[in-house]
Amino acid sequence: MLICGLFASVSATPALAALSAPEAKMVATVDAETDRSIALLQKLVEQNSGSLNMEGVAKVGEMMRAELEPLGFTVKWVPMAAAKRSGHIVATHVGAKGGKRLLLIGHLDTVFEPDSPFQHWTRKGDEAEGPGVGDDKGGMTVMVAALRAMKAAGTLTKANIEIVLTGDEENVGEPVSIARGDLIAAGKRADAALDFEGLARDNGRDMGSIARRSSSSWVVKATGKTGHSSGIFSDRVGYGATYELVRILDRFRRELPETNLTYNIGLIAGGATAEFDAQGIRATATGKGNIIPPVAEAHGDMRTLSDEQTIRVREKMKAIVADHLPGTGAEIAFPKDGYPAMAPTEGNRDILAKLNGVNRDMGLPEMPELDPLRRGAGDISFVAKDVAGYVGMGAASRGDHAPGETVDLKSIPLQAKRAAILMSRLSAEKRSN
């Protein structure tokens, strides 16, 4: 396992012989600044930035501005009041003409709002706990460490880099066209996109992520004739709304399965009455065992690996919903697309191949492709149709999105070295157009 200080004597390490002099300088700089990086991470974590904490997200944005401007980035705060969110950081670094343009993606917010009991940083040897310590404040720390190493080695000067740090990745504002407009526009300008969310590991082995599945929602509403329970299944009354809803959900379970598809039922209510709040996350119902329920409703999500798969599965769901039990009705809606899919492409695989070139030159094992089922949705998917991308340049962590979220502090210098060398090599390549 890589430990801090491993590359302190670069010239004496045979495994690093394939690195250029600037790359060796980057490795040394990252190691020399490890304590600085950990201190930055602690500072970011101690500032609450739950997605709905407008002021807290803005404060983390200012912290990142203070890191990026001294490196030569022009930093802009983009308010997102129109999407009912705080805002985003967009930072640009203009380098040499003709070089590939890189898009770096991260996010300022966490899932932990100010009322969460999990609020502070706790160091435990080579690990640390804290809200967002991995997702994604650990990623932003890696990003800064890598850029500082590039600056020290002279490779940042010629690099064309645009950074988008969203303030609502964990709870995307609406409409999405506004909330992700700046990110989508940046994707159209870029030649390669690197997402600084967490490094994936499988049984202790670092993995390469070149795909993310989509995340969208669905709602099924069933109706039926109400009456005394003694009339259930009769021609006069029929089956009632609950049986119709259960029929639909059971057929989803039996008939929809296919590779890379998952679909979950998150909330159900049915009875004499069933009401959901505006966000669709709370429900209340009334009823009695001897009353046939006239209403029933289920809310869920679906994850796919391509738009084509999303369309195909939705058509199957519509057909199942339309095949009613006697005396019932039902309809399905897809109210929120959420995150699109990031399909595995040859362009994405090419970035992973170049990252594995960095691994070989650093004397590290190559990283195989991660199964897309092991990775959730994320912001890079919004640009996946326009630019080749790679996911997982951030720190390794566990327990994300829950109290006790823990980062592997040793992974920060490791990932910063990988990122600095990869970004330097990519940015030195010529654009194809």
Side-chain angles (χ1 to χ4, degrees):
M1 182 175 288
L2 191 66
I3 59 174
C4 300
L6 178 62
F7 299 122
S9 301
V10 174
S11 61
T13 308
L16 300 178
L19 297 182
S20 67
E23 290 170 348
K25 174 68 173 177
M26 286 183 259
V27 166
T29 299
V30 168
D31 279 327
E33 295 196 344
T34 295
D35 289 343
R36 181 192 190 279
S37 295
I38 293 173
L40 172 62
L41 177 57
Q42 180 177 357
K43 181 180 177 182
L44 294 171
V45 168
E46 286 291 342
Q47 172 57 60
N48 179 278
S49 59
S51 304
L52 302 183
N53 181 0
M54 310 297 184
E55 182 180 355
V57 170
K59 286 182 178 179
V60 172
E62 285 303 308
M63 293 177 189
M64 290 303 294
R65 177 193 294 273
E67 296 295 327
L68 296 172
E69 284 184 337
L71 298 176
F73 283 83
T74 300
V75 181
K76 178 174 66 172
W77 175 255
V78 183
M80 279 290 129
K84 299 181 177 60
R85 294 296 184 269
S86 180
H88 309 321
I89 283 287
V90 177
T92 55
H93 184 279
V94 179
K97 290 184 178 181
K100 283 192 172 179
R101 295 180 292 198
L102 307 185
L103 170 61
L104 312 186
I105 301 171
H107 61 91
L108 307 166
D109 64 318
T110 76
V111 300
F112 302 98
E113 298 296 342
D115 61 353
S116 168
F118 188 53
Q119 291 293 337
H120 298 292
W121 163 278
T122 303
R123 176 80 181 259
K124 297 181 178 181
D126 289 331
E127 295 185 330
E129 291 183 2
V133 72
D135 185 16
D136 186 38
K137 292 175 179 180
M140 292 192 297
T141 299
V142 169
M143 184 187 296
V144 169
L147 293 170
R148 288 180 61 84
M150 292 174 68
K151 178 80 170 180
T155 62
L156 183 59
T157 303
K158 296 183 178 181
N160 292 290
I161 298 175
E162 185 166 8
I163 300 172
V164 178
L165 304 175
T166 58
D168 61 344
E169 196 269 352
E170 303 292 5
N171 191 339
V172 180
E174 294 182 334
V176 172
S177 59
I178 292 176
R180 289 298 175 268
D182 294 278
L183 177 61
I184 292 170
K188 295 182 185 298
R189 292 188 288 268
D191 300 299
L194 301 177
D195 188 327
F196 279 77
E197 288 204 293
L199 167 67
R201 282 178 170 161
D202 186 8
N203 293 321
R205 184 173 187 179
D206 293 356
M207 305 293 288
S209 296
I210 61 166
R212 303 190 81 151
R213 293 187 302 155
S214 68
S215 176
S216 61
S217 63
W218 55 264
V219 176
V220 173
K221 297 181 179 180
T223 58
K225 297 176 183 178
T226 190
H228 195 280
S229 62
S230 62
I232 192 75
F233 311 141
S234 68
D235 293 340
R236 177 175 56 83
V237 180
Y239 282 67
T242 303
Y243 272 117
E244 169 66 353
L245 182 61
V246 171
R247 173 198 69 81
I248 291 167
L249 300 180
D250 186 58
R251 285 189 61 183
F252 283 178
R253 177 186 66 84
R254 291 184 287 112
E255 298 178 25
L256 294 182
E258 61 179 72
T259 303
N260 293 319
L261 169 69
T262 56
Y263 42 94
N264 179 58
I265 306 160
L267 184 61
I268 295 178
T273 65
E275 297 180 354
F276 288 72
D277 67 2
Q279 291 77 37
I281 60 175
R282 296 177 180 85
T284 57
T286 64
K288 295 175 65 178
N290 62 353
I291 298 176
I292 300 172
V295 291
E297 190 170 323
H299 292 213
D301 83 341
M302 179 172 68
R303 296 170 188 262
T304 63
L305 195 55
S306 68
D307 291 344
E308 292 76 16
Q309 186 175 39
T310 300
I311 293 169
R312 181 176 64 253
V313 174
R314 284 181 175 180
E315 290 304 312
K316 290 182 181 179
M317 296 172 84
K318 291 176 183 177
I320 290 170
V321 170
D323 185 20
H324 307 306
L325 289 172
T328 69
E331 60 184 24
I332 186 169
F334 304 96
K336 189 175 181 180
D337 282 331
Y339 288 90
M342 175 187 178
T345 66
E346 290 309 308
N348 299 355
R349 288 192 172 94
D350 182 62
I351 295 177
L352 175 56
K354 290 172 180 175
L355 177 57
N356 276 326
V358 173
N359 284 327
R360 287 192 298 273
D361 292 345
M362 290 178 63
L364 298 170
E366 293 194 18
M367 300 160 66
E369 289 184 19
L370 180 72
D371 184 342
L373 290 173
R374 300 287 302 276
R375 185 121 229 169
D379 274 342
I380 194 172
S381 296
F382 286 103
V383 303
K385 292 182 180 179
D386 298 312
V387 61
Y390 177 82
V391 183
M393 298 303 301
S397 60
R398 66 177 189 275
D400 295 1
H401 289 202
E405 180 175 337
T406 300
V407 68
D408 174 7
L409 295 173
K410 300 186 299 299
S411 71
I412 293 174
L414 167 63
Q415 287 290 84
K417 294 164 192 174
R418 282 172 169 156
I421 296 171
L422 178 64
M423 289 192 291
S424 297
R425 292 181 180 184
L426 287 174
S427 62
E429 295 178 359
K430 297 298 182 182
R431 302 192 69 208
S432 59
N433 53 34

